[in-house]
Amino acid sequence: MSNEQTSEAAAEPRPNRLTAAAGLAALEGLALVAGGGYMLVMGLLGSPDKPEQAEMGGLTLIALALLPLLAARGLLKCRAWSRGPAIITQIMALPVAWTLLRSEGALLIPAGIALAAVAVASLVLLVNPATNRALGIRGPRDA
C-alpha cells in the first residue's frame, strides 16, 4: 500500500452506522450509571430491606457501565478493539431484556422492549460491513 492510499484510508469519514453504534453503546453505559447511582443512593439514603445489597448492586452497575462507555469511545475513534466489547455488551443485554419483558412491573416491560430494540439495532450496526471496513477489521475472505 502506498503512502497515498494509506492517507486516503485514514482520511475516510467515520460511517454513520459506526457513529450510531457508538451512540447506542454510550446510551446503554449512561443508563447503567443512572441505574447504579439510583440503587446506590437508595441504599444509602432510603430504607431498602437490605441496604448492603442495594449499595453493592449500585456499585456493580456503575462498574459494568465502563464496558459500553469505553467501547463507545473506541468506536468513535475507529479503534478495532472496541467492536468486541460493544458486541459483548449487546449480547449481555438480550437476556436482561428478556427478563424485563417477562416481568409484571408496569415500567419494566417497556424498559425491556427498549433494551431489546437497542441491543438488536446495535448488533446489526456492529456487524455491518461498512463498520468493519471503518474499523479495519478484515473478514475470512479478506485474509
Side-chain angles (χ1 to χ4, degrees):
M1 198 179 241
S2 71
N3 287 340
E4 292 173 8
Q5 290 174 332
T6 305
S7 63
E8 286 177 17
E12 284 185 28
R14 181 177 54 241
N16 291 337
R17 290 180 177 99
L18 188 56
T19 304
L24 290 174
L27 178 68
E28 287 175 325
L30 292 174
L32 284 169
V33 168
Y38 175 77
M39 285 179 68
L40 187 59
V41 168
M42 292 310 292
L44 293 170
L45 303 177
S47 57
D49 293 336
K50 297 182 180 179
E52 299 84 15
Q53 189 175 9
E55 293 162 8
M56 186 54 69
L59 290 174
T60 302
L61 283 181
I62 292 170
L64 285 174
L66 291 175
L67 184 65
L69 290 174
L70 289 173
R73 185 171 187 261
L75 290 171
L76 283 175
K77 292 186 170 206
C78 294
R79 305 287 193 250
W81 63 262
S82 61
R83 184 173 168 251
I87 288 176
I88 289 168
T89 300
Q90 306 319 316
I91 291 172
M92 289 179 2
L94 290 173
V96 175
W98 178 254
T99 302
L100 291 172
L101 287 170
R102 296 186 45 93
S103 69
E104 294 180 13
L107 293 176
L108 296 179
I109 293 173
I113 293 169
L115 180 59
V118 168
V120 169
S122 294
L123 283 170
V124 168
L125 292 169
L126 289 166
V127 299
N128 188 283
T131 301
N132 292 340
R133 278 191 303 277
L135 294 174
I137 298 172
R138 298 184 322 176
R141 295 179 194 156
D142 300 334

PDB file of all heavy atoms in Angstrom, residues 46-80:
ATOM      1  N   GLY A  46     -32.203   5.643  51.414  1.00  0.00           N
ATOM      2  CA  GLY A  46     -33.545   5.072  51.509  1.00  0.00           C
ATOM      3  C   GLY A  46     -33.618   4.035  52.612  1.00  0.00           C
ATOM      4  O   GLY A  46     -32.739   3.929  53.467  1.00  0.00           O
ATOM      5  N   SER A  47     -34.664   3.256  52.556  1.00  0.00           N
ATOM      6  CA  SER A  47     -34.816   2.200  53.554  1.00  0.00           C
ATOM      7  C   SER A  47     -35.110   0.862  52.872  1.00  0.00           C
ATOM      8  O   SER A  47     -36.197   0.300  53.035  1.00  0.00           O
ATOM      9  CB  SER A  47     -35.929   2.561  54.540  1.00  0.00           C
ATOM     10  OG  SER A  47     -37.134   2.778  53.835  1.00  0.00           O
ATOM     11  N   PRO A  48     -34.145   0.345  52.086  1.00  0.00           N
ATOM     12  CA  PRO A  48     -34.372  -0.956  51.454  1.00  0.00           C
ATOM     13  C   PRO A  48     -34.291  -2.069  52.503  1.00  0.00           C
ATOM     14  O   PRO A  48     -33.793  -1.865  53.610  1.00  0.00           O
ATOM     15  CB  PRO A  48     -33.229  -1.063  50.446  1.00  0.00           C
ATOM     16  CG  PRO A  48     -32.153  -0.222  51.014  1.00  0.00           C
ATOM     17  CD  PRO A  48     -32.854   0.900  51.748  1.00  0.00           C
ATOM     18  N   ASP A  49     -34.793  -3.246  52.138  1.00  0.00           N
ATOM     19  CA  ASP A  49     -34.735  -4.385  53.052  1.00  0.00           C
ATOM     20  C   ASP A  49     -33.289  -4.730  53.405  1.00  0.00           C
ATOM     21  O   ASP A  49     -32.982  -5.047  54.550  1.00  0.00           O
ATOM     22  CB  ASP A  49     -35.418  -5.607  52.428  1.00  0.00           C
ATOM     23  CG  ASP A  49     -36.915  -5.397  52.281  1.00  0.00           C
ATOM     24  OD1 ASP A  49     -37.474  -4.571  53.028  1.00  0.00           O
ATOM     25  OD2 ASP A  49     -37.508  -6.052  51.409  1.00  0.00           O
ATOM     26  N   LYS A  50     -32.420  -4.671  52.398  1.00  0.00           N
ATOM     27  CA  LYS A  50     -31.007  -4.988  52.608  1.00  0.00           C
ATOM     28  C   LYS A  50     -30.161  -3.858  52.020  1.00  0.00           C
ATOM     29  O   LYS A  50     -29.835  -3.876  50.831  1.00  0.00           O
ATOM     30  CB  LYS A  50     -30.655  -6.313  51.950  1.00  0.00           C
ATOM     31  CG  LYS A  50     -31.396  -7.495  52.542  1.00  0.00           C
ATOM     32  CD  LYS A  50     -30.984  -8.784  51.880  1.00  0.00           C
ATOM     33  CE  LYS A  50     -31.750  -9.933  52.491  1.00  0.00           C
ATOM     34  NZ  LYS A  50     -31.392 -11.197  51.853  1.00  0.00           N
ATOM     35  N   PRO A  51     -29.782  -2.874  52.825  1.00  0.00           N
ATOM     36  CA  PRO A  51     -29.031  -1.731  52.299  1.00  0.00           C
ATOM     37  C   PRO A  51     -27.700  -2.128  51.669  1.00  0.00           C
ATOM     38  O   PRO A  51     -27.304  -1.573  50.650  1.00  0.00           O
ATOM     39  CB  PRO A  51     -28.807  -0.845  53.522  1.00  0.00           C
ATOM     40  CG  PRO A  51     -29.711  -1.340  54.575  1.00  0.00           C
ATOM     41  CD  PRO A  51     -30.091  -2.732  54.221  1.00  0.00           C
ATOM     42  N   GLU A  52     -27.027  -3.111  52.259  1.00  0.00           N
ATOM     43  CA  GLU A  52     -25.726  -3.526  51.717  1.00  0.00           C
ATOM     44  C   GLU A  52     -25.876  -4.097  50.313  1.00  0.00           C
ATOM     45  O   GLU A  52     -25.051  -3.855  49.436  1.00  0.00           O
ATOM     46  CB  GLU A  52     -25.063  -4.583  52.626  1.00  0.00           C
ATOM     47  CG  GLU A  52     -24.778  -4.113  54.019  1.00  0.00           C
ATOM     48  CD  GLU A  52     -25.977  -4.223  54.957  1.00  0.00           C
ATOM     49  OE1 GLU A  52     -26.966  -4.924  54.622  1.00  0.00           O
ATOM     50  OE2 GLU A  52     -25.942  -3.576  56.012  1.00  0.00           O
ATOM     51  N   GLN A  53     -26.955  -4.838  50.105  1.00  0.00           N
ATOM     52  CA  GLN A  53     -27.200  -5.428  48.797  1.00  0.00           C
ATOM     53  C   GLN A  53     -27.511  -4.341  47.763  1.00  0.00           C
ATOM     54  O   GLN A  53     -27.037  -4.399  46.628  1.00  0.00           O
ATOM     55  CB  GLN A  53     -28.355  -6.418  48.881  1.00  0.00           C
ATOM     56  CG  GLN A  53     -28.552  -7.229  47.631  1.00  0.00           C
ATOM     57  CD  GLN A  53     -29.627  -8.289  47.799  1.00  0.00           C
ATOM     58  OE1 GLN A  53     -30.345  -8.316  48.795  1.00  0.00           O
ATOM     59  NE2 GLN A  53     -29.741  -9.162  46.822  1.00  0.00           N
ATOM     60  N   ALA A  54     -28.275  -3.339  48.139  1.00  0.00           N
ATOM     61  CA  ALA A  54     -28.594  -2.237  47.225  1.00  0.00           C
ATOM     62  C   ALA A  54     -27.333  -1.447  46.894  1.00  0.00           C
ATOM     63  O   ALA A  54     -27.108  -1.076  45.737  1.00  0.00           O
ATOM     64  CB  ALA A  54     -29.651  -1.329  47.849  1.00  0.00           C
ATOM     65  N   GLU A  55     -26.500  -1.195  47.895  1.00  0.00           N
ATOM     66  CA  GLU A  55     -25.270  -0.441  47.657  1.00  0.00           C
ATOM     67  C   GLU A  55     -24.322  -1.215  46.747  1.00  0.00           C
ATOM     68  O   GLU A  55     -23.742  -0.654  45.815  1.00  0.00           O
ATOM     69  CB  GLU A  55     -24.596  -0.132  48.994  1.00  0.00           C
ATOM     70  CG  GLU A  55     -25.398   0.828  49.853  1.00  0.00           C
ATOM     71  CD  GLU A  55     -24.995   0.807  51.310  1.00  0.00           C
ATOM     72  OE1 GLU A  55     -23.986   0.153  51.651  1.00  0.00           O
ATOM     73  OE2 GLU A  55     -25.691   1.450  52.116  1.00  0.00           O
ATOM     74  N   MET A  56     -24.153  -2.510  47.013  1.00  0.00           N
ATOM     75  CA  MET A  56     -23.262  -3.320  46.178  1.00  0.00           C
ATOM     76  C   MET A  56     -23.812  -3.459  44.763  1.00  0.00           C
ATOM     77  O   MET A  56     -23.057  -3.419  43.786  1.00  0.00           O
ATOM     78  CB  MET A  56     -23.053  -4.704  46.807  1.00  0.00           C
ATOM     79  CG  MET A  56     -22.021  -5.535  46.077  1.00  0.00           C
ATOM     80  SD  MET A  56     -20.417  -4.715  45.857  1.00  0.00           S
ATOM     81  CE  MET A  56     -19.815  -4.677  47.509  1.00  0.00           C
ATOM     82  N   GLY A  57     -25.128  -3.591  44.636  1.00  0.00           N
ATOM     83  CA  GLY A  57     -25.735  -3.646  43.304  1.00  0.00           C
ATOM     84  C   GLY A  57     -25.494  -2.360  42.535  1.00  0.00           C
ATOM     85  O   GLY A  57     -25.200  -2.386  41.339  1.00  0.00           O
ATOM     86  N   GLY A  58     -25.620  -1.224  43.223  1.00  0.00           N
ATOM     87  CA  GLY A  58     -25.364   0.064  42.582  1.00  0.00           C
ATOM     88  C   GLY A  58     -23.921   0.194  42.128  1.00  0.00           C
ATOM     89  O   GLY A  58     -23.646   0.634  41.004  1.00  0.00           O
ATOM     90  N   LEU A  59     -22.994  -0.192  42.978  1.00  0.00           N
ATOM     91  CA  LEU A  59     -21.575  -0.128  42.608  1.00  0.00           C
ATOM     92  C   LEU A  59     -21.258  -1.079  41.450  1.00  0.00           C
ATOM     93  O   LEU A  59     -20.464  -0.742  40.565  1.00  0.00           O
ATOM     94  CB  LEU A  59     -20.700  -0.449  43.817  1.00  0.00           C
ATOM     95  CG  LEU A  59     -20.675   0.604  44.912  1.00  0.00           C
ATOM     96  CD1 LEU A  59     -19.895   0.107  46.125  1.00  0.00           C
ATOM     97  CD2 LEU A  59     -20.084   1.910  44.396  1.00  0.00           C
ATOM     98  N   THR A  60     -21.905  -2.230  41.455  1.00  0.00           N
ATOM     99  CA  THR A  60     -21.689  -3.191  40.367  1.00  0.00           C
ATOM    100  C   THR A  60     -22.189  -2.636  39.038  1.00  0.00           C
ATOM    101  O   THR A  60     -21.503  -2.752  38.015  1.00  0.00           O
ATOM    102  CB  THR A  60     -22.397  -4.525  40.692  1.00  0.00           C
ATOM    103  OG1 THR A  60     -21.885  -5.028  41.924  1.00  0.00           O
ATOM    104  CG2 THR A  60     -22.187  -5.546  39.591  1.00  0.00           C
ATOM    105  N   LEU A  61     -23.360  -2.024  39.041  1.00  0.00           N
ATOM    106  CA  LEU A  61     -23.879  -1.439  37.794  1.00  0.00           C
ATOM    107  C   LEU A  61     -22.984  -0.315  37.286  1.00  0.00           C
ATOM    108  O   LEU A  61     -22.745  -0.199  36.084  1.00  0.00           O
ATOM    109  CB  LEU A  61     -25.298  -0.918  38.011  1.00  0.00           C
ATOM    110  CG  LEU A  61     -26.405  -1.959  38.043  1.00  0.00           C
ATOM    111  CD1 LEU A  61     -27.754  -1.284  38.249  1.00  0.00           C
ATOM    112  CD2 LEU A  61     -26.422  -2.786  36.782  1.00  0.00           C
ATOM    113  N   ILE A  62     -22.476   0.489  38.208  1.00  0.00           N
ATOM    114  CA  ILE A  62     -21.580   1.574  37.790  1.00  0.00           C
ATOM    115  C   ILE A  62     -20.293   0.996  37.196  1.00  0.00           C
ATOM    116  O   ILE A  62     -19.796   1.482  36.174  1.00  0.00           O
ATOM    117  CB  ILE A  62     -21.302   2.519  38.975  1.00  0.00           C
ATOM    118  CG1 ILE A  62     -22.589   3.277  39.332  1.00  0.00           C
ATOM    119  CG2 ILE A  62     -20.171   3.485  38.652  1.00  0.00           C
ATOM    120  CD1 ILE A  62     -22.521   4.068  40.623  1.00  0.00           C
ATOM    121  N   ALA A  63     -19.757  -0.052  37.803  1.00  0.00           N
ATOM    122  CA  ALA A  63     -18.554  -0.694  37.258  1.00  0.00           C
ATOM    123  C   ALA A  63     -18.839  -1.323  35.895  1.00  0.00           C
ATOM    124  O   ALA A  63     -18.012  -1.226  34.975  1.00  0.00           O
ATOM    125  CB  ALA A  63     -18.031  -1.740  38.240  1.00  0.00           C
ATOM    126  N   LEU A  64     -20.004  -1.957  35.753  1.00  0.00           N
ATOM    127  CA  LEU A  64     -20.367  -2.571  34.470  1.00  0.00           C
ATOM    128  C   LEU A  64     -20.557  -1.528  33.372  1.00  0.00           C
ATOM    129  O   LEU A  64     -20.412  -1.831  32.193  1.00  0.00           O
ATOM    130  CB  LEU A  64     -21.636  -3.402  34.615  1.00  0.00           C
ATOM    131  CG  LEU A  64     -21.488  -4.748  35.315  1.00  0.00           C
ATOM    132  CD1 LEU A  64     -22.850  -5.393  35.519  1.00  0.00           C
ATOM    133  CD2 LEU A  64     -20.581  -5.670  34.521  1.00  0.00           C
ATOM    134  N   ALA A  65     -20.877  -0.307  33.756  1.00  0.00           N
ATOM    135  CA  ALA A  65     -21.077   0.760  32.774  1.00  0.00           C
ATOM    136  C   ALA A  65     -19.788   1.109  32.046  1.00  0.00           C
ATOM    137  O   ALA A  65     -19.831   1.666  30.939  1.00  0.00           O
ATOM    138  CB  ALA A  65     -21.638   2.001  33.461  1.00  0.00           C
ATOM    139  N   LEU A  66     -18.656   0.786  32.631  1.00  0.00           N
ATOM    140  CA  LEU A  66     -17.387   1.099  31.983  1.00  0.00           C
ATOM    141  C   LEU A  66     -17.225   0.386  30.648  1.00  0.00           C
ATOM    142  O   LEU A  66     -16.672   0.954  29.716  1.00  0.00           O
ATOM    143  CB  LEU A  66     -16.212   0.753  32.915  1.00  0.00           C
ATOM    144  CG  LEU A  66     -16.063   1.635  34.135  1.00  0.00           C
ATOM    145  CD1 LEU A  66     -14.938   1.107  35.024  1.00  0.00           C
ATOM    146  CD2 LEU A  66     -15.796   3.072  33.727  1.00  0.00           C
ATOM    147  N   LEU A  67     -17.719  -0.842  30.550  1.00  0.00           N
ATOM    148  CA  LEU A  67     -17.556  -1.604  29.302  1.00  0.00           C
ATOM    149  C   LEU A  67     -18.216  -0.920  28.107  1.00  0.00           C
ATOM    150  O   LEU A  67     -17.539  -0.625  27.115  1.00  0.00           O
ATOM    151  CB  LEU A  67     -18.080  -3.038  29.487  1.00  0.00           C
ATOM    152  CG  LEU A  67     -17.883  -3.968  28.306  1.00  0.00           C
ATOM    153  CD1 LEU A  67     -16.404  -4.219  28.063  1.00  0.00           C
ATOM    154  CD2 LEU A  67     -18.593  -5.285  28.566  1.00  0.00           C
ATOM    155  N   PRO A  68     -19.505  -0.603  28.156  1.00  0.00           N
ATOM    156  CA  PRO A  68     -20.080   0.067  26.978  1.00  0.00           C
ATOM    157  C   PRO A  68     -19.566   1.490  26.789  1.00  0.00           C
ATOM    158  O   PRO A  68     -19.459   1.960  25.648  1.00  0.00           O
ATOM    159  CB  PRO A  68     -21.584   0.045  27.244  1.00  0.00           C
ATOM    160  CG  PRO A  68     -21.739  -0.169  28.696  1.00  0.00           C
ATOM    161  CD  PRO A  68     -20.537  -0.951  29.139  1.00  0.00           C
ATOM    162  N   LEU A  69     -19.218   2.191  27.863  1.00  0.00           N
ATOM    163  CA  LEU A  69     -18.705   3.553  27.705  1.00  0.00           C
ATOM    164  C   LEU A  69     -17.329   3.557  27.033  1.00  0.00           C
ATOM    165  O   LEU A  69     -17.069   4.371  26.137  1.00  0.00           O
ATOM    166  CB  LEU A  69     -18.653   4.267  29.056  1.00  0.00           C
ATOM    167  CG  LEU A  69     -20.013   4.608  29.661  1.00  0.00           C
ATOM    168  CD1 LEU A  69     -19.852   5.172  31.074  1.00  0.00           C
ATOM    169  CD2 LEU A  69     -20.773   5.580  28.781  1.00  0.00           C
ATOM    170  N   LEU A  70     -16.461   2.643  27.442  1.00  0.00           N
ATOM    171  CA  LEU A  70     -15.151   2.541  26.784  1.00  0.00           C
ATOM    172  C   LEU A  70     -15.294   2.065  25.344  1.00  0.00           C
ATOM    173  O   LEU A  70     -14.581   2.537  24.453  1.00  0.00           O
ATOM    174  CB  LEU A  70     -14.237   1.612  27.576  1.00  0.00           C
ATOM    175  CG  LEU A  70     -13.740   2.151  28.909  1.00  0.00           C
ATOM    176  CD1 LEU A  70     -12.984   1.073  29.679  1.00  0.00           C
ATOM    177  CD2 LEU A  70     -12.863   3.371  28.703  1.00  0.00           C
ATOM    178  N   ALA A  71     -16.214   1.139  25.125  1.00  0.00           N
ATOM    179  CA  ALA A  71     -16.452   0.661  23.756  1.00  0.00           C
ATOM    180  C   ALA A  71     -16.963   1.802  22.875  1.00  0.00           C
ATOM    181  O   ALA A  71     -16.533   1.947  21.729  1.00  0.00           O
ATOM    182  CB  ALA A  71     -17.442  -0.494  23.761  1.00  0.00           C
ATOM    183  N   ALA A  72     -17.858   2.615  23.404  1.00  0.00           N
ATOM    184  CA  ALA A  72     -18.382   3.745  22.626  1.00  0.00           C
ATOM    185  C   ALA A  72     -17.267   4.720  22.265  1.00  0.00           C
ATOM    186  O   ALA A  72     -17.194   5.196  21.122  1.00  0.00           O
ATOM    187  CB  ALA A  72     -19.472   4.469  23.421  1.00  0.00           C
ATOM    188  N   ARG A  73     -16.405   4.998  23.208  1.00  0.00           N
ATOM    189  CA  ARG A  73     -15.277   5.903  22.939  1.00  0.00           C
ATOM    190  C   ARG A  73     -14.369   5.325  21.852  1.00  0.00           C
ATOM    191  O   ARG A  73     -13.942   6.015  20.941  1.00  0.00           O
ATOM    192  CB  ARG A  73     -14.492   6.148  24.216  1.00  0.00           C
ATOM    193  CG  ARG A  73     -13.395   7.169  24.057  1.00  0.00           C
ATOM    194  CD  ARG A  73     -12.806   7.524  25.419  1.00  0.00           C
ATOM    195  NE  ARG A  73     -11.879   8.614  25.306  1.00  0.00           N
ATOM    196  CZ  ARG A  73     -10.563   8.449  25.258  1.00  0.00           C
ATOM    197  NH1 ARG A  73     -10.041   7.243  25.335  1.00  0.00           N
ATOM    198  NH2 ARG A  73      -9.772   9.496  25.152  1.00  0.00           N
ATOM    199  N   GLY A  74     -14.094   4.024  21.956  1.00  0.00           N
ATOM    200  CA  GLY A  74     -13.258   3.377  20.950  1.00  0.00           C
ATOM    201  C   GLY A  74     -13.912   3.366  19.575  1.00  0.00           C
ATOM    202  O   GLY A  74     -13.242   3.558  18.559  1.00  0.00           O
ATOM    203  N   LEU A  75     -15.216   3.141  19.537  1.00  0.00           N
ATOM    204  CA  LEU A  75     -15.923   3.157  18.253  1.00  0.00           C
ATOM    205  C   LEU A  75     -15.865   4.539  17.619  1.00  0.00           C
ATOM    206  O   LEU A  75     -15.683   4.665  16.399  1.00  0.00           O
ATOM    207  CB  LEU A  75     -17.372   2.712  18.428  1.00  0.00           C
ATOM    208  CG  LEU A  75     -17.601   1.238  18.760  1.00  0.00           C
ATOM    209  CD1 LEU A  75     -19.052   0.991  19.127  1.00  0.00           C
ATOM    210  CD2 LEU A  75     -17.176   0.345  17.605  1.00  0.00           C
ATOM    211  N   LEU A  76     -16.020   5.573  18.429  1.00  0.00           N
ATOM    212  CA  LEU A  76     -15.948   6.932  17.884  1.00  0.00           C
ATOM    213  C   LEU A  76     -14.564   7.251  17.339  1.00  0.00           C
ATOM    214  O   LEU A  76     -14.424   8.024  16.391  1.00  0.00           O
ATOM    215  CB  LEU A  76     -16.329   7.955  18.954  1.00  0.00           C
ATOM    216  CG  LEU A  76     -17.824   8.073  19.245  1.00  0.00           C
ATOM    217  CD1 LEU A  76     -18.059   9.032  20.402  1.00  0.00           C
ATOM    218  CD2 LEU A  76     -18.587   8.518  18.019  1.00  0.00           C
ATOM    219  N   LYS A  77     -13.543   6.632  17.919  1.00  0.00           N
ATOM    220  CA  LYS A  77     -12.174   6.857  17.450  1.00  0.00           C
ATOM    221  C   LYS A  77     -11.742   5.830  16.411  1.00  0.00           C
ATOM    222  O   LYS A  77     -10.583   5.780  16.034  1.00  0.00           O
ATOM    223  CB  LYS A  77     -11.213   6.832  18.637  1.00  0.00           C
ATOM    224  CG  LYS A  77     -11.392   8.003  19.566  1.00  0.00           C
ATOM    225  CD  LYS A  77     -10.321   7.995  20.623  1.00  0.00           C
ATOM    226  CE  LYS A  77     -10.375   9.308  21.374  1.00  0.00           C
ATOM    227  NZ  LYS A  77      -9.092   9.647  21.937  1.00  0.00           N
ATOM    228  N   CYS A  78     -12.709   4.989  15.976  1.00  0.00           N
ATOM    229  CA  CYS A  78     -12.464   3.960  14.952  1.00  0.00           C
ATOM    230  C   CYS A  78     -11.369   2.981  15.361  1.00  0.00           C
ATOM    231  O   CYS A  78     -10.506   2.614  14.563  1.00  0.00           O
ATOM    232  CB  CYS A  78     -12.138   4.593  13.598  1.00  0.00           C
ATOM    233  SG  CYS A  78     -13.524   5.493  12.898  1.00  0.00           S
ATOM    234  N   ARG A  79     -11.404   2.526  16.595  1.00  0.00           N
ATOM    235  CA  ARG A  79     -10.453   1.545  17.103  1.00  0.00           C
ATOM    236  C   ARG A  79     -11.058   0.148  16.951  1.00  0.00           C
ATOM    237  O   ARG A  79     -12.165  -0.109  17.420  1.00  0.00           O
ATOM    238  CB  ARG A  79     -10.122   1.793  18.570  1.00  0.00           C
ATOM    239  CG  ARG A  79      -9.608   3.178  18.870  1.00  0.00           C
ATOM    240  CD  ARG A  79      -8.186   3.341  18.350  1.00  0.00           C
ATOM    241  NE  ARG A  79      -7.578   4.540  18.897  1.00  0.00           N
ATOM    242  CZ  ARG A  79      -7.313   5.607  18.189  1.00  0.00           C
ATOM    243  NH1 ARG A  79      -7.600   5.633  16.905  1.00  0.00           N
ATOM    244  NH2 ARG A  79      -6.742   6.656  18.737  1.00  0.00           N
ATOM    245  N   ALA A  80     -10.326  -0.748  16.324  1.00  0.00           N
ATOM    246  CA  ALA A  80     -10.834  -2.090  16.051  1.00  0.00           C
ATOM    247  C   ALA A  80     -11.142  -2.861  17.331  1.00  0.00           C
ATOM    248  O   ALA A  80     -12.090  -3.648  17.376  1.00  0.00           O
ATOM    249  CB  ALA A  80      -9.831  -2.864  15.202  1.00  0.00           C
TER     250      ALA A  80
END
